[in-house]
Amino acid sequence: MLVQIIIALGIGLVAGLLDIIPMLKDAKTKPPAYRYSIMSVFATWILLGLVIPFISWDVQPWLKGFIVGFVGMAPTMIHAYGRVQNFPIALRILVHGGVLGTLVSVASDVLFKLIK
């Protein structure tokens, strides 16, 4: 179980990095509060990386990941929409969360099967 938790943390770390890399290029031109948004998104993916693999729903792993990633990024989307009032950006955050959640779920499913 400890190995699975470490793998899940690693997957969450990678997912968080994938999500914040595009944000980092804007960090110097944005207000200082933007850095907190970056840290928040990163922490969210660390948490989702730990949560998604251990949810046991009777659905395909990709669907479980999409649903949890989509819903898990809803608070970030609400915060971003409140800041910029741009619906396409808000929608992109949700879709990106679903896709990244799918990748987290599928990667953890494959890696957990390999260590058994």
Side-chain angles (χ1 to χ4, degrees):
M1 183 67 163
L2 180 62
V3 173
Q4 290 176 326
I5 291 172
I6 292 169
I7 290 171
L9 275 172
I11 292 171
L13 180 78
V14 170
L17 289 173
L18 287 173
D19 203 4
I20 67 168
I21 286 173
M23 298 171 74
L24 290 175
K25 66 180 170 110
D26 296 333
K28 290 187 179 185
T29 61
K30 300 280 185 175
Y34 189 72
R35 291 187 198 119
Y36 293 107
S37 294
I38 293 172
M39 289 185 282
S40 172
V41 168
F42 185 72
T44 299
W45 279 111
I46 296 290
L47 179 64
L48 288 175
L50 278 171
V51 169
I52 291 172
F54 298 106
I55 291 176
S56 52
W57 290 345
D58 194 23
V59 296
Q60 293 293 321
W62 68 267
L63 182 59
K64 172 182 71 170
F66 186 86
I67 292 169
V68 176
F70 189 88
V71 172
M73 292 308 288
T76 303
M77 181 276 300
I78 293 167
H79 176 71
Y81 183 76
R83 230 177 349 146
V84 297
Q85 299 292 313
N86 188 332
F87 184 72
I89 288 176
L91 185 61
R92 185 183 57 143
I93 290 169
L94 287 179
V95 171
H96 182 77
V99 170
L100 206 47
T102 299
L103 294 174
V104 166
S105 185
V106 170
S108 62
D109 191 54
V110 168
L111 290 174
F112 287 1
K113 285 178 182 173
L114 286 175
I115 63 168
K116 284 187 178 181

